[in-house]
Amino acid sequence: MKKLSTSLILVAMILTQSCATLFTGTKDTIVINSDQKAKIEIDGIQVGHTGESIRVKRSLNDKVVTLKADGYETKTFELQKAFNVVSVLNFLSPLAWGIDALTGAVMKYEPKVYNMELDAKPTTQKQ
């Protein structure tokens, strides 16, 4: 009986680990606004247009955002990240920290809204 209760406690401890992954998920919703309607690419993959809500998978790696609109210069920037304090609930469990790091949940994207200005491409005059 004691072995069964010890096993149940162990299973409960494992299942409640990786707190950031469980409690806050592995994706964030961000919005990128601009003065012109533009295509949004994240790491080279088109994910939507400015003004739309976009779900972005959390990652320890940097995410590069590119805005493209006809007649405007391409704008590139990185999403900003912040430490997800919910990860602290992992306490001293290396397994839980590892899971949160692998899923990217140890970080979160902050801010959630970006307001960008696109510069018009210079026009060339024919002589």
Side-chain angles (χ1 to χ4, degrees):
M1 186 70 160
K2 184 173 177 154
K3 186 175 183 179
L4 179 62
S5 63
T6 304
S7 297
L8 288 174
I9 291 171
L10 182 60
V11 168
M13 286 175 55
I14 291 171
L15 292 176
T16 58
Q17 296 301 310
S18 64
C19 291
T21 301
L22 293 173
F23 295 133
T24 64
T26 59
K27 294 183 179 181
D28 285 312
T29 300
I30 63 167
V31 177
I32 301 170
N33 296 312
S34 71
D35 47 347
Q36 300 296 319
K37 190 76 164 177
K39 294 178 187 175
I40 300 173
E41 293 180 359
I42 297 180
D43 295 335
I45 299 170
Q46 185 173 340
V47 295
H49 293 86
T50 53
E52 300 173 351
S53 294
I54 299 168
R55 299 277 293 159
V56 181
K57 184 165 177 19
R58 293 179 183 168
S59 173
L60 294 178
N61 299 324
D62 293 331
K63 298 272 187 182
V64 176
V65 177
T66 305
L67 303 179
K68 296 180 179 180
D70 290 336
Y72 290 84
E73 298 287 340
T74 298
K75 185 166 206 90
T76 302
F77 63 97
E78 289 181 0
L79 292 179
Q80 298 174 21
K81 294 182 285 193
F83 178 71
N84 189 354
V85 294
V86 176
S87 295
V88 173
L89 296 175
N90 291 324
F91 298 104
L92 300 174
S93 171
L95 175 64
W97 282 107
I99 291 169
D100 280 351
L102 287 173
T103 64
V106 74
M107 302 300 283
K108 62 182 179 177
Y109 291 109
E110 198 65 44
K112 302 286 189 231
V113 178
Y114 292 81
N115 294 307
M116 310 302 289
E117 289 186 25
L118 300 178
D119 297 321
K121 286 184 180 177
T123 55
T124 56
Q125 296 180 356
K126 294 183 181 179
Q127 294 183 5

